[in-house]
Amino acid sequence: MRGLAVGLLPLLLQPVLVHITAQRAPCSLRTSTEDAFTRDGDINIGAIFAVHFDNDYPRADYTRPPSQASCKTFVTRAFRYVQAVAFAVNEINQSPSILPNITLGFRVHDSCYDETKATKLAMCLLPGHKEQVPNFQCGSQAPLAAVIGDVYSSTTLAIARILGLHRYPQISHGAHLQVLSDKIQFPSFMRTMPNADTVSVGVSLLVKHFGWTWIGLLSLEKDTTQSTMLLVKQDILKTGACIAFWEEIPILYSTTKLRRLVEVLRKSSATVVVTICPEPYLLPFMEEAARKNITGVLWVATHVWASSSLLSVVDYSTVLTGTIGFAIRRGVLSGLKEFLYNLHPLRNPEDHFTKEFWEVAFSCTWPEGSTNSSSFTDEGYDRKQLCTGSENLLGLKSYVLEVNNFRLTNNVYNAIYATTHALHNLLSCLPGKGPFVNGTCATIHDFRPWQLLHYLRKVHFRNAEGDEVYFNENGNPPPRFDILNWQRQEDGYIQHVKVGTFDFSAPQGRQFIFNESALVWNKGVAQVPVSVCSASCLEGYRKAAREGQASCCYDCVPCSEQEISNHTGVQYLYLSQEGVQCVTE
């Protein structure tokens, strides 16, 4: 019987083998494909950016293959991130001094500000395939050097979990979440965006500078934003100020919740509100605030919206004029302005992002209607006519492309160059003097991701503007910010005027520089806004704590006769930061 079973074994296996060979390639999964803006090179750089937001999730009844969520609203700022990749790669490929005889390529994907899609895209980039294929590298694609992105912490976290498993370098240009500095959880993550603890220190210094002691906090209804706001709260409390309220903007649009938030602002005596919320979610809240004519608030904006073009339009100018924001340091990027104005969908047919941008910018639709963006865009255009290709980018309003305001775009550019310098140093390794076992070097066309990560951690160079680019032991860059003041112009649009700098790496005493005379406050008020729960007590009065309330809230009651001396030349009242105090004789 045993011999018979052995003899039958090949026959028993034969149908299984036939079934397997009839399937798709062994390294494929039955999944939907992901489009990318791609230019192949000897070595490729991946990028994942939130080019859209406001996703539309179809209902799944599992009677047919599930449909993908559609990305509705196109973000022109993120379009600049995409083009910064193409611009930097073109510039590097034309340079004889870096990566000689090596051509860089790129693959740019759109995360649509969705964590699930961001995870899927990371799994697509690793095998160099249009489908996610875990733990495989299919075909003979060029090696992937690193992944740039994303801008938001939530999607960046999702990508970092996947790439960290394989030690693939990732450089985010916008994610500030402090936990991303943890090299145990995120061993291959780096960023050209300062982390959250430096942002919170800057906010607390601003609050202390103007003597504000009664502060409102507004964050997104999400763990990643809340953890950053917790740091801000802790640093504000260290200045002696108090928190008036901490409210959350809903992730899912809710008119009821937004109206309640506006009422909290209206009723609170706090006139300074620190806000950490990405533009897509902050926009409907500001629309509601504008409808209710909330004009008595001074907004302190963190980097996620400090230089927002979405919010710098006429509709919100009465609400947001006077805002003070901590923005990423501005870059010039010589040549990028001309590069952007030279873009055209017909000259770059593989670039579907430019095609969609054209529709958004000129309020038109290409005849085949191949894009998936809704009629609502960040500039609010309605598409009613066909695109002809004769439209002129130079005729657009300045805020559409923002060619003179490269901030996060500059971070993308620096991330590309940091990766390139790491590749160049890997290429320049001398056999026997390499950093790996027995002095060995990596091979430029067949390196391992952890080998490039070794070089990337050690890059230190000056970019075209002369700014130093490097990473500390936690993968963070030198923390530098521009302090911006939102000032309304004659046409109603808001201009972001630089009024100071915050450089955490500068010598003591030069970290926080502020030009108060350049500030414009809301409603054209010349004096610094006051935000206190209780005013300082006058001479002859003392503080009386209000039971169950913050220490910044108190009543002023007369000092008793025993607490005041009327002796000539003797003063028992003294001034402090907390106001006039009474003392006992």
Side-chain angles (χ1 to χ4, degrees), residues 170-185:
Q170 175 188 2
I171 307 177
S172 171
H173 60 296
H176 65 276
L177 196 64
Q178 188 181 34
V179 72
L180 287 164
S181 297
D182 185 343
K183 295 303 104 180
I184 301 299
Q185 294 191 64

Side-chain angles (χ1 to χ4, degrees), residues 319-389:
V319 176
L320 293 173
T321 294
T323 294
I324 297 178
F326 287 82
I328 305 306
R329 192 171 182 177
R330 179 176 173 269
V332 177
L333 295 185
S334 176
L336 180 55
K337 176 180 179 179
E338 292 74 20
F339 179 87
L340 290 171
Y341 277 132
N342 197 42
L343 292 172
H344 197 286
L346 301 182
R347 286 195 295 270
N348 309 99
E350 78 282 8
D351 181 3
H352 60 277
F353 294 113
T354 294
K355 186 175 184 180
E356 187 171 1
F357 168 76
W358 207 266
E359 292 190 332
V360 170
F362 296 107
S363 188
C364 64
T365 304
W366 290 101
E368 64 272 27
S370 60
T371 61
N372 63 354
S373 180
S374 70
S375 60
F376 173 74
T377 71
D378 54 354
E379 277 77 39
Y381 295 119
D382 292 317
R383 300 187 186 135
K384 298 178 181 179
Q385 60 187 23
L386 292 179
C387 302
T388 64

Side-chain angles (χ1 to χ4, degrees), residues 96-107:
S97 61
I98 190 167
L99 286 183
N101 302 318
I102 300 292
T103 302
L104 278 185
F106 58 82
R107 296 178 61 86

Side-chain angles (χ1 to χ4, degrees), residues 42 54 67 85 120 191 280 320 327 333 409 414 443 464 475 502 537 550:
D42 300 320
D54 196 20
S67 303
V85 174
K120 178 180 177 181
R191 51 185 157 194
L320 293 173
L333 295 185
T409 304
N414 285 338
T443 304
F502 174 55
C537 296

Side-chain angles (χ1 to χ4, degrees), residues 390-562:
S390 61
E391 297 83 2
N392 187 358
L393 290 174
L394 292 172
L396 294 173
K397 292 183 178 180
S398 60
Y399 64 81
V400 178
L401 268 176
E402 287 189 290
V403 293
N404 298 313
N405 189 30
F406 299 129
R407 295 185 186 276
L408 290 173
T409 304
N410 188 50
N411 282 1
V412 173
Y413 182 83
N414 285 338
I416 296 290
Y417 264 88
T419 304
T420 304
H421 277 275
L423 286 167
H424 185 82
N425 293 339
L426 184 151
L427 175 65
S428 304
C429 179
L430 297 175
K433 297 183 179 180
F436 307 116
V437 179
N438 297 325
T440 57
C441 298
T443 304
I444 189 64
H445 292 291
D446 190 28
F447 57 86
R448 297 293 176 261
W450 56 266
Q451 292 175 317
L452 181 62
L453 185 60
H454 166 83
Y455 287 101
L456 193 54
R457 286 174 178 270
K458 296 179 179 296
V459 294
H460 196 144
F461 63 96
R462 289 189 180 273
N463 61 19
E465 298 177 50
D467 292 332
E468 283 187 289
V469 179
Y470 62 91
F471 305 97
N472 65 15
E473 66 276 8
N474 295 320
N476 296 319
R480 306 183 185 105
F481 296 91
D482 288 340
I483 303 175
L484 305 181
N485 181 220
W486 290 34
Q487 302 181 6
R488 181 187 171 103
Q489 305 302 296
E490 291 183 1
D491 61 0
Y493 285 90
I494 289 175
Q495 182 179 0
H496 306 139
V497 178
K498 181 178 175 180
V499 294
T501 58
F502 174 55
D503 187 348
F504 210 69
S505 61
Q508 196 70 26
R510 299 288 299 171
Q511 295 179 343
F512 190 78
I513 300 175
F514 204 74
N515 181 11
E516 198 169 326
S517 63
L519 282 169
V520 172
W521 304 106
N522 206 339
K523 297 183 178 179
V525 177
Q527 294 180 335
V528 177
V530 175
S531 189
V532 297
C533 183
S534 300
S536 297
C537 296
L538 299 175
E539 289 189 13
Y541 290 80
R542 64 175 176 83
K543 296 178 180 179
R546 295 175 184 172
E547 187 175 354
Q549 294 191 29
S551 61
C552 300
C553 301
Y554 49 84
D555 295 315
C556 293
V557 298
C559 297
S560 64
E561 292 182 5
Q562 291 78 19

Side-chain angles (χ1 to χ4, degrees), residues 118-437:
T119 304
K120 178 180 177 181
L121 291 174
M123 296 171 68
C124 290
L125 282 170
L126 291 180
H129 215 263
K130 285 189 176 182
E131 302 178 3
Q132 69 259 39
V133 188
N135 299 321
F136 281 91
Q137 182 165 351
C138 304
S140 57
Q141 288 85 3
L144 175 71
V147 175
I148 311 301
D150 200 353
V151 68
Y152 298 116
S153 291
S154 56
T155 47
T156 300
L157 274 170
I159 299 166
R161 296 285 185 195
I162 299 298
L163 299 183
L165 293 174
H166 305 277
R167 301 301 192 270
Y168 265 99
Q170 175 188 2
I171 307 177
S172 171
H173 60 296
H176 65 276
L177 196 64
Q178 188 181 34
V179 72
L180 287 164
S181 297
D182 185 343
K183 295 303 104 180
I184 301 299
Q185 294 191 64
F186 306 101
S188 59
F189 176 82
M190 309 176 85
R191 51 185 157 194
T192 49
M193 166 69 209
N195 62 340
D197 58 351
T198 56
V199 176
S200 64
V201 171
V203 170
S204 65
L205 287 174
L206 184 73
V207 167
K208 186 176 181 179
H209 177 82
F210 287 111
W212 297 320
T213 59
W214 195 227
I215 312 298
L217 305 180
L218 195 60
S219 62
L220 181 63
E221 187 182 56
K222 204 166 193 174
D223 288 342
T224 53
T225 305
Q226 289 175 349
S227 61
T228 302
M229 186 60 89
L230 183 60
L231 291 174
V232 172
K233 177 183 177 181
Q234 291 170 348
D235 282 334
I236 287 176
L237 292 175
K238 290 176 183 177
T239 69
C242 300
I243 304 302
F245 61 83
W246 182 353
E247 295 290 338
E248 297 176 353
I249 293 175
I251 294 177
L252 299 177
Y253 181 84
S254 168
T255 302
T256 302
K257 290 183 179 180
L258 292 178
R259 287 176 178 173
R260 187 191 68 79
L261 289 179
V262 170
E263 280 305 302
V264 169
L265 286 174
R266 187 190 299 278
K267 294 177 180 178
S268 176
S269 57
T271 58
V272 174
V273 180
V274 180
T275 307
I276 304 177
C277 183
E279 297 164 296
Y281 297 106
L282 189 57
L283 193 64
F285 171 76
M286 288 302 175
E287 288 176 353
E288 184 64 26
R291 277 194 292 268
K292 296 298 176 64
N293 196 30
I294 302 297
T295 59
V297 175
L298 174 70
W299 304 93
V300 177
T302 53
H303 71 283
V304 290
W305 68 282
S307 58
S308 169
S309 58
L310 286 171
L311 294 165
S312 301
V313 295
V314 178
D315 293 345
Y316 313 120
S317 60
T318 56
V319 176
L320 293 173
T321 294
T323 294
I324 297 178
F326 287 82
I328 305 306
R329 192 171 182 177
R330 179 176 173 269
V332 177
L333 295 185
S334 176
L336 180 55
K337 176 180 179 179
E338 292 74 20
F339 179 87
L340 290 171
Y341 277 132
N342 197 42
L343 292 172
H344 197 286
L346 301 182
R347 286 195 295 270
N348 309 99
E350 78 282 8
D351 181 3
H352 60 277
F353 294 113
T354 294
K355 186 175 184 180
E356 187 171 1
F357 168 76
W358 207 266
E359 292 190 332
V360 170
F362 296 107
S363 188
C364 64
T365 304
W366 290 101
E368 64 272 27
S370 60
T371 61
N372 63 354
S373 180
S374 70
S375 60
F376 173 74
T377 71
D378 54 354
E379 277 77 39
Y381 295 119
D382 292 317
R383 300 187 186 135
K384 298 178 181 179
Q385 60 187 23
L386 292 179
C387 302
T388 64
S390 61
E391 297 83 2
N392 187 358
L393 290 174
L394 292 172
L396 294 173
K397 292 183 178 180
S398 60
Y399 64 81
V400 178
L401 268 176
E402 287 189 290
V403 293
N404 298 313
N405 189 30
F406 299 129
R407 295 185 186 276
L408 290 173
T409 304
N410 188 50
N411 282 1
V412 173
Y413 182 83
N414 285 338
I416 296 290
Y417 264 88
T419 304
T420 304
H421 277 275
L423 286 167
H424 185 82
N425 293 339
L426 184 151
L427 175 65
S428 304
C429 179
L430 297 175
K433 297 183 179 180
F436 307 116
V437 179

